Amino acid sequence: MNSMKMMNKMKDLPQDRDETNGPVPIVDADDVIGYTADGNRVDEYDIAATPLALSILAKRGWKNQLVHFNCNNCPMNESEPKPTEHKASVEGAISEFGYDTNVTRFFDCQVDRQWNAAGANAVAVIKSAGNGKMN
């Protein structure tokens, strides 16, 4: 999805206002969050944007609502380098922002070859969420 389509989609989400940060999505206390970061082609923007997203979730007080996180999930051919820098940036954010890996399951599909485990966990989390909301 290109950035303009994503911005238009974000406009349709329920939003709250924050005096310093402008509009923010509403996340209720019983909501759970799943996140995926492609990490394709070892792009520098993924290496920087993924820990930034984790920092935003933590700052908003939602880190314990993040129950599923996977990264580097874009299939690449064997001749391409594995996105180890992206993995390292995610691990740094987990440590820096104090994510509890008992609450949030983190999966690296490329580097750690966790394709099946990530998919199974995402399905399990979606099925168990049970609050009926899909944003």
Side-chain angles (χ1 to χ4, degrees), residues 3-59:
S3 60
M4 184 57 76
K5 284 183 183 177
M6 181 176 286
M7 287 175 61
N8 287 334
K9 186 167 179 67
M10 288 294 289
K11 288 178 188 174
D12 295 334
L13 292 175
Q15 302 207 347
D16 196 358
R17 300 282 313 166
D18 179 298
E19 292 301 316
T20 57
N21 300 315
V24 294
I26 294 171
V27 177
D28 294 327
D30 63 340
D31 289 342
V32 295
I33 301 169
Y35 192 97
T36 184
D38 62 15
N40 61 330
R41 312 297 179 255
V42 196
D43 292 326
E44 290 180 6
Y45 68 84
D46 288 322
I47 294 167
T50 304
L52 176 63
L54 289 168
S55 74
I56 291 168
L57 292 173
K59 180 172 176 22

Side-chain angles (χ1 to χ4, degrees), residues 121-135:
N121 186 68
V123 169
V125 166
I126 291 167
K127 285 183 176 179
S128 69
N131 67 6
K133 291 170 55 175
M134 290 295 287
N135 288 337

Side-chain angles (χ1 to χ4, degrees), residues 23-129:
V24 294
I26 294 171
V27 177
D28 294 327
D30 63 340
D31 289 342
V32 295
I33 301 169
Y35 192 97
T36 184
D38 62 15
N40 61 330
R41 312 297 179 255
V42 196
D43 292 326
E44 290 180 6
Y45 68 84
D46 288 322
I47 294 167
T50 304
L52 176 63
L54 289 168
S55 74
I56 291 168
L57 292 173
K59 180 172 176 22
R60 296 297 302 173
W62 300 332
K63 71 180 179 182
N64 288 332
Q65 290 173 265
L66 179 64
V67 296
H68 174 87
F69 182 95
N70 69 61
C71 65
N72 297 323
N73 59 16
C74 183
M76 298 167 29
N77 65 45
E78 292 299 319
S79 66
E80 294 179 278
K82 291 207 184 315
T84 54
E85 289 178 69
H86 191 207
K87 177 185 170 80
S89 72
V90 169
E91 289 173 344
I94 292 167
S95 175
E96 178 71 23
F97 302 109
Y99 278 88
D100 182 347
T101 57
N102 293 314
V103 172
T104 307
R105 296 288 313 275
F106 289 90
F107 299 91
D108 188 299
C109 296
Q110 281 290 336
V111 178
D112 295 336
R113 310 301 266 168
Q114 294 179 316
W115 300 94
N116 293 337
N121 186 68
V123 169
V125 166
I126 291 167
K127 285 183 176 179
S128 69

